[in-house]
Amino acid sequence: MQEESHNSRTDMVEDVEVGNKESPLGEIEVNLEQEKSLIRKQDLRILPLYAQVAGIRFLLGVLEAGLFPGLVFYLTFWYKVSERSLRVAFILASATLAGAFGGAIAYGTGHMNGAQGLSAWRWLFIIEGAPSCASAIFVWFFLPDYPETCRFLNSEDKALAKQRLAVEGGQGMAKAMTWIEAKAVLTEWRLYAHYLVYFAISVPFSSLSLLTPTITAGLGYENLQSQLMTIPPYAAAYVVTLAVSWSADYFNARGLHSAVFSLIGAIGFLASAVLPPDAYAHRYGCLIVATSGAFSCIPPLLGWLSSNLRSTAGIGLAIAMNISFGAPGQIVGVWIYKSDQAKKGFPTGHWTNAGLLLLASVVCVALRLYYGWLNRRFPQGQIRYAY
């Protein structure tokens, strides 16, 4: 038998040397030159398409990167410290609510596969991309830049808007950033504590935003049903985020609100990690708790950061750095829920998110205590740092 095996391998080598080989079934002879020609044709057709898709996705990331920090920065020109967290929450919670609609849309487009000759994933891109393209036109023409230049305020309203934001807000006519201002922001260590918190909460935010269908699939729901079951966690997070942000502004306690709800999110992930993998109903409830806690702590954090900076340019740079520090966390978030751990209940993802949210909670408490200590050093009535 060994001799026959040796002979068959020898025969195969000889076939390759003359330019032909037989398939394992021995039915079709393939000419190597023809095969190479076929591969070259496929490469010329497929690889450029892949490069185009990758290039478009890169441009999408580049153009989209400034959207959220730009919106947060934009709000500083219109609202005081005590008014920002709730407005940031409307933006972020709307994105959360869009996630709920995204699950429903994905469920619906799953039934559109082949409609008008288009695959389901193409329909998903069209349906979700069209409103963004249309809104860009309205934003360009109708969204004002600053209170001082908008058309819907009269001269008295503009003067009042400028007066009330003279100390706490961004200034539309402010000068460009100087190196001294940039250096002050870049070398202020307390801001890096804010950046660390945002990195920590970006991991669960990313994993929940992108992988909730995968998580729900691990809870016994399959295919399109797993998309549909992403709606309740997002809907609950929408309501909780708005409520927490309003409370944080009302009680001037953004740090403590972020700390408490980071802890609640961590508890949700911890419970999911320790529960038996087949405790589907309990783990689904924990997912709702974790999503609500992880999402609701973000707007107060962003409002807290911008509230403790004074120059317009400094606010812009700090917000941009804050979001940039969160970007690596978003990369981490998409890798911690491994498909081969679905039957085990995704322990790596849950433990990682729980640990990072606990870190965020601890740092928020430390920052709150530090700002309180700084304020006690100033004369009464001259509080510089918001909580």
Side-chain angles (χ1 to χ4, degrees):
M1 183 174 292
Q2 291 180 351
E3 184 177 353
E4 290 178 0
S5 177
H6 174 75
N7 290 339
S8 65
R9 287 196 295 270
T10 304
D11 292 341
M12 289 179 64
V13 172
E14 290 176 352
D15 286 342
V16 171
E17 289 176 349
V18 298
N20 296 306
K21 65 180 179 181
E22 293 186 356
S23 71
L25 298 177
E27 296 176 354
I28 303 175
E29 290 188 355
V30 180
N31 184 280
L32 286 182
E33 292 301 324
Q34 291 178 338
E35 187 175 16
K36 291 179 181 178
S37 176
L38 173 63
I39 293 174
R40 282 195 295 269
K41 290 179 180 179
Q42 293 176 167
D43 287 344
L44 290 173
R45 181 67 176 178
I46 295 174
L47 294 183
L49 290 176
Y50 174 80
Q52 291 170 14
V53 172
I56 291 174
R57 184 62 186 89
F58 173 78
L59 290 176
L60 175 62
V62 170
L63 297 174
E64 186 184 21
L67 176 62
F68 186 56
L71 288 171
V72 175
F73 184 47
Y74 177 77
L75 292 176
T76 65
F77 293 96
W78 296 84
Y79 297 102
K80 296 170 65 176
V81 168
S82 60
E83 302 163 346
R84 288 179 200 160
S85 294
L86 181 60
R87 273 70 187 184
V88 173
F90 273 111
I91 296 172
L92 186 68
S94 297
T96 303
L97 189 63
F101 282 108
I105 292 171
Y107 180 83
T109 54
H111 296 282
M112 295 177 63
N113 192 34
Q116 302 297 319
L118 297 177
S119 303
W121 66 270
R122 295 181 185 273
W123 278 114
L124 185 64
F125 284 174
I126 292 172
I127 293 172
E128 293 191 344
S132 297
C133 295
S135 65
I137 301 174
F138 289 97
V139 167
W140 178 266
F141 287 104
F142 298 107
L143 187 67
D145 293 326
Y146 313 109
E148 299 93 328
T149 60
C150 68
R151 297 179 180 178
F152 63 85
L153 296 179
N154 57 37
S155 57
E156 184 178 349
D157 291 333
K158 292 178 181 179
L160 176 60
K162 184 176 181 179
Q163 178 183 358
R164 77 190 204 97
L165 296 173
V167 177
E168 296 185 355
Q171 306 300 314
M173 302 304 173
K175 297 180 180 179
M177 174 177 282
T178 64
W179 169 243
I180 295 176
E181 290 176 323
K183 184 179 179 180
V185 173
L186 294 173
T187 57
E188 180 61 77
W189 76 264
R190 65 181 176 85
L191 296 180
Y192 287 90
H194 284 277
Y195 306 155
L196 175 61
V197 173
Y198 198 75
F199 169 83
I201 59 96
S202 292
V203 177
F205 178 78
S206 173
S207 58
L208 290 171
S209 298
L210 301 175
L211 298 176
T212 299
T214 301
I215 299 172
T216 55
L219 295 174
Y221 303 104
E222 298 180 354
N223 302 325
L224 295 177
Q225 190 181 19
S226 66
Q227 293 283 353
L228 199 60
M229 293 307 293
T230 63
I231 297 176
Y234 287 138
Y238 176 81
V239 176
V240 174
T241 298
L242 292 179
V244 170
S245 299
W246 174 85
S247 179
D249 276 345
Y250 183 80
F251 292 102
N252 189 32
R254 297 159 196 83
L256 290 181
H257 278 72
S258 294
V260 169
F261 283 88
S262 295
L263 179 61
I264 291 173
I267 292 172
F269 282 115
L270 280 172
S272 295
V274 300
L275 282 170
D278 57 354
Y280 296 142
H282 296 85
R283 289 174 55 217
Y284 187 72
C286 291
L287 175 63
I288 295 176
V289 172
T291 305
S292 299
F295 283 14
S296 62
C297 68
I298 299 176
L301 284 174
L302 295 170
W304 196 21
L305 172 66
S306 63
S307 299
N308 288 311
L309 292 159
R310 296 296 174 260
S311 71
T312 300
I315 293 173
L317 177 58
I319 291 174
M321 289 188 63
N322 189 61
I323 303 299
S324 297
F325 270 79
Q330 295 182 11
I331 296 174
V332 173
V334 301
W335 288 103
I336 57 176
Y337 282 90
K338 303 176 181 180
S339 58
D340 59 351
Q341 294 185 351
K343 294 182 179 180
K344 299 178 182 179
F346 298 110
T348 300
H350 292 327
W351 282 112
T352 302
N353 282 336
L356 288 170
L357 284 173
L358 285 173
L359 172 63
S361 182
V362 170
V363 178
C364 283
V365 172
L367 269 173
R368 167 61 181 84
L369 295 175
Y370 177 69
Y371 283 139
W373 176 75
L374 288 178
N375 287 338
R376 287 192 296 272
R377 297 178 60 190
F378 293 95
Q380 190 174 3
Q382 297 183 13
I383 297 176
R384 286 189 58 192
Y385 295 101
Y387 296 147

